[in-house]
Amino acid sequence: RYIAGDKFTLADIRLFVTLLRFDEVYVVYFKTNTRSVASSPSILNYMREIYQMPGVKETVNMDQIKMHYYASHPNLNRWSIIPKGP
């Protein structure tokens, strides 16, 4: 169910925050466009389960995440253009 078995651990938190950024940021920046989280049912369900845990949703701010990545790495995005969509 989780990365290290039946218990939710720090490994799951670390994977969640990475996968959260994947489709919105990493696909563009790091050219990881061969497979998306959104098109991987088991990974998407894993993400949904964690996102719905108490207190998690309130910590996710995709606008801030995108703004940070797209505006703070001038070598990857010279003009700090932030895409509106996924």
Side-chain angles (χ1 to χ4, degrees):
R1 180 176 181 179
Y2 298 111
I3 296 301
D6 291 335
K7 292 184 179 182
F8 183 71
T9 67
L10 181 59
D12 295 292
I13 294 170
R14 289 178 183 236
L15 180 59
F16 176 79
V17 298
T18 299
L19 292 174
L20 184 68
R21 294 174 174 92
F22 194 86
D23 290 358
E24 294 274 350
V25 178
Y26 297 170
V27 165
V28 175
Y29 263 17
F30 307 118
K31 314 296 187 265
T32 56
N33 61 354
T34 58
R35 191 169 177 191
S36 69
V37 171
S39 66
S40 304
S42 59
I43 296 174
L44 187 57
N45 288 336
Y46 171 81
M47 292 295 292
R48 285 181 177 150
E49 182 175 345
I50 295 172
Y51 184 80
Q52 293 172 5
M53 290 179 172
V56 174
K57 179 172 39 173
E58 295 79 18
T59 68
V60 175
N61 183 340
M62 285 310 298
D63 289 335
Q64 189 277 331
I65 291 168
K66 287 171 63 173
M67 186 180 300
H68 165 74
Y69 273 90
Y70 288 105
S72 65
H73 300 99
N75 59 327
L76 296 174
N77 188 2
R78 187 176 190 177
W79 293 281
S80 299
I81 298 169
I82 303 169
K84 285 186 178 183

